[in-house]
């Protein structure tokens, strides 16, 4: 089958949509299907990166068997027109704030009553794949979960990753907080879209931290470290999936509900909305995790339980491949 994925990346949008769509593309390609990306050349786009990953990119619609849409600016009014180009439409969403016309909807997030939030937003015939059992996970994370190391909750190694673009400059706040603490090793990860990456790299070199940029070995890092300071969004689920205790800072509106509910379930430390989070907040967090190892054990356990899918990794792929086109 031929699949076209409609998603964008930019300094405002971030990189999360493209990164999870690349995971989908890799699974489809591995099964022998043709995959292309429809992307616009926005400022901070990842078109070159997607091409480097082995996928053609287009800017005009072509005929396909299935179109996969992962875009907050697209709703039922656009999706209806896409049936002129494909037999089936798959939508990936996590906002539940607009109607969709599609055959399959995937939302890997969890909030109160998540199982019912799309009931009035999609056709009755739509197959709804909802909750963290339908996580979109790269193979490296599946392998890391299967071979995760036993943690002793003594925080010697720290990971800092605030998303591909870090639009609210959380990394700099964390680096300022780290000046008062000593860890055996600190890993700092930036995406290519991070406007402060050069300054961050310089600080890391001065402080002896390990700097990484636009990496494809995040799961390996997560398995090595003892705690991660991160943003809300899809990387929260990656950390939970491999049992890595972590904090989340909310850097976008669409992260709010999920972050608070994940905190309620005991799987993450929620630091709150980024405008209220300062370097002092991160200093308090660093002190807390050194003084409360029992909390880290609970976070790891709850994260693993929350992302359990009966031993089946990426069960959503079966639904996509069995679609009758």
């Amino acid at each position: 089958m031929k699949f076209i994925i409609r998603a964008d990346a930019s300094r405002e949008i971030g990189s999360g949509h493209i990164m999870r769509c690349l995971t989908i593309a890799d699974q489809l390609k591995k099964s022998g299907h043709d995959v292309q990306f429809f992307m616009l050349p926005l400022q901070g786009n990842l078109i070159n990166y997607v091409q480097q990953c082995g996928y053609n990119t287009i800017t005009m619609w072509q005929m396909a068997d299935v179109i996969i849409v992962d875009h907050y600016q697209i709703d039922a009014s656009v999706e209806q027109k896409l049936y002129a180009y494909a037999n089936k439409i798959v939508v990936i969403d996590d906002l539940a704030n607009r109607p969709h016309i599609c055959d399959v909807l995937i939302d890997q997030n969890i909030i109160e009553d998540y199982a019912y939030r799309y009931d009035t937003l999609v056709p009755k015939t739509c197959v709804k794949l909802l909750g963290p059992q339908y996580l979109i996970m790269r193979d490296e994370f599946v392998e890391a979960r299967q071979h995760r190391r036993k943690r002793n909750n003594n925080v010697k190694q720290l990971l800092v990753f605030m998303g591909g673009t870090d639009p609210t400059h959380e990394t700099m706040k964390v680096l300022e907080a780290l000046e008062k603490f000593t860890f055996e090793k600190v890993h700092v990860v930036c995406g290519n879209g991070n406007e402060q990456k050069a300054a961050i790299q310089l600080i890391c070199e001065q402080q002896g931290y390990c700097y990484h940029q636009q990496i494809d070995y995040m799961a390996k890092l997560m398995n090595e470290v003892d705690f991660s300071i991160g943003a809300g969004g899809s990387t929260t689920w990656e950390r939970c999936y491999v049992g890595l205790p972590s904090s989340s800072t909310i850097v976008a509106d669409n992260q709010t509900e999920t972050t608070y509910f994940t905190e309620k379930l005991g799987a993450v430390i929620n630091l709150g909305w980024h405008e209220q989070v300062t370097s002092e907040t991160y200093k308090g967090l660093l002190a807390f995790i050194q003084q409360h190892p029992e909390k880290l054990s609970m976070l790891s356990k709850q994260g693993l339980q929350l992302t359990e899918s009966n031993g089946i990794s990426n069960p959503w792929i079966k639904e996509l491949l069995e679609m009758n086109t």
Side-chain angles (χ1 to χ4, degrees):
M1 290 192 290
K2 179 179 179 180
F3 291 79
I4 293 179
I5 296 175
R6 176 69 183 97
D8 281 319
S10 73
R11 290 177 179 172
E12 290 72 31
I13 295 171
S15 62
H17 298 279
I18 293 298
M19 298 311 292
R20 69 183 173 190
C21 283
L22 279 169
T23 299
I24 293 173
D26 288 345
Q27 292 293 330
L28 293 172
K29 186 177 181 180
K30 190 164 60 173
S31 298
H33 300 284
D34 177 40
V35 185
Q36 294 182 332
F37 280 74
F38 186 128
M39 302 172 66
L40 297 180
L42 307 173
Q43 188 174 23
N45 68 76
L46 291 176
I47 291 175
N48 288 339
Y49 181 74
V50 169
Q51 293 171 347
Q52 289 168 9
C53 291
Y55 297 100
N56 292 330
T57 60
I58 59 176
T59 55
M60 293 182 64
W61 285 111
Q62 301 176 2
M63 297 302 296
D65 295 299
V66 181
I67 291 175
I68 300 174
V69 178
D70 187 351
H71 207 297
Y72 292 154
Q73 304 304 315
I74 294 178
D75 61 10
S77 64
V78 176
E79 291 154 4
Q80 179 68 66
K81 298 174 183 177
L82 295 182
Y83 280 100
Y85 299 96
N87 298 317
K88 299 289 184 179
I89 306 294
V90 177
V91 169
I92 302 167
D93 192 18
D94 49 31
L95 297 181
N97 66 346
R98 63 204 188 281
H100 294 288
I101 296 179
C102 57
D103 301 281
V104 176
L105 184 137
I106 304 173
D107 184 345
Q108 61 185 352
N109 291 286
I110 186 170
I111 64 168
E112 296 277 5
D113 299 324
Y114 72 94
Y116 310 103
R117 63 196 303 232
Y118 290 95
D119 284 358
T120 61
L121 297 176
V122 298
K124 290 190 185 328
T125 56
C126 177
V127 176
K128 299 187 289 291
L129 308 179
L130 308 177
Q133 65 266 41
Y134 291 106
L135 284 173
I136 300 167
M137 282 290 152
R138 300 200 300 273
D139 286 343
E140 61 166 316
F141 285 95
V142 175
E143 184 176 350
R145 182 182 177 104
Q146 294 170 346
H147 301 96
R148 64 185 180 274
R149 68 181 180 85
K150 184 176 178 60
R151 304 181 187 279
N152 60 13
N153 303 316
N154 184 10
V155 183
K156 294 182 178 180
Q157 296 199 35
L158 188 71
L159 171 64
V160 181
F161 177 53
M162 309 306 300
T165 58
D166 188 10
T168 62
H169 309 313
E170 299 306 308
T171 306
M172 280 298 193
K173 297 178 190 177
V174 177
L175 290 175
E176 182 180 342
L178 279 168
E179 293 176 2
K180 303 295 183 182
F181 294 85
T182 301
F183 293 92
E184 186 177 285
K185 189 173 288 187
V186 175
H187 296 275
V188 179
V189 179
C190 288
N192 287 340
N194 191 320
E195 293 179 332
Q196 295 184 315
K197 58 182 180 291
I200 291 170
Q201 182 175 7
L202 180 60
I203 293 173
C204 288
E205 291 171 353
Q206 293 171 341
Q207 299 297 324
Y209 304 152
C210 302
Y211 176 80
H212 311 263
Q213 185 172 313
Q214 200 65 46
I215 62 174
D216 59 1
Y217 50 89
M218 181 65 78
K220 179 177 180 293
L221 275 186
M222 287 187 177
N223 224 3
E224 290 177 359
V225 303
D226 305 300
F227 189 85
S228 177
I229 300 177
S234 58
T235 53
T236 299
W237 296 122
E238 292 173 350
R239 300 189 300 263
C240 288
Y241 191 78
V242 298
L244 175 61
S246 71
S247 68
S248 285
T249 300
I250 302 169
V251 300
D253 290 335
N254 64 294
Q255 300 173 359
T256 303
E257 281 188 284
T258 297
T259 303
Y260 275 100
F261 195 63
T262 309
E263 175 191 36
K264 183 178 178 180
L265 296 175
V268 72
I269 297 174
N270 175 20
L271 298 182
W273 184 246
H274 67 90
E275 290 180 346
Q276 281 73 55
V277 176
T278 67
S279 61
E280 291 299 319
T281 308
Y282 290 116
K283 287 179 186 177
L285 170 69
L286 293 168
F288 178 83
I289 63 175
Q290 290 183 330
Q291 297 165 7
H292 298 275
E294 74 287 350
K295 175 69 172 179
L296 305 190
S297 178
M298 185 191 75
L299 290 170
S300 180
K301 180 180 178 181
Q302 291 300 106
L304 289 168
Q305 289 182 352
L306 192 58
T307 55
E308 178 56 50
S309 57
N310 297 319
I312 303 172
S313 60
N314 290 319
W316 49 265
I317 190 67
K318 181 174 181 288
E319 297 288 343
L320 267 58
L321 295 181
E322 291 183 355
M323 293 175 69
N324 181 15
T325 59

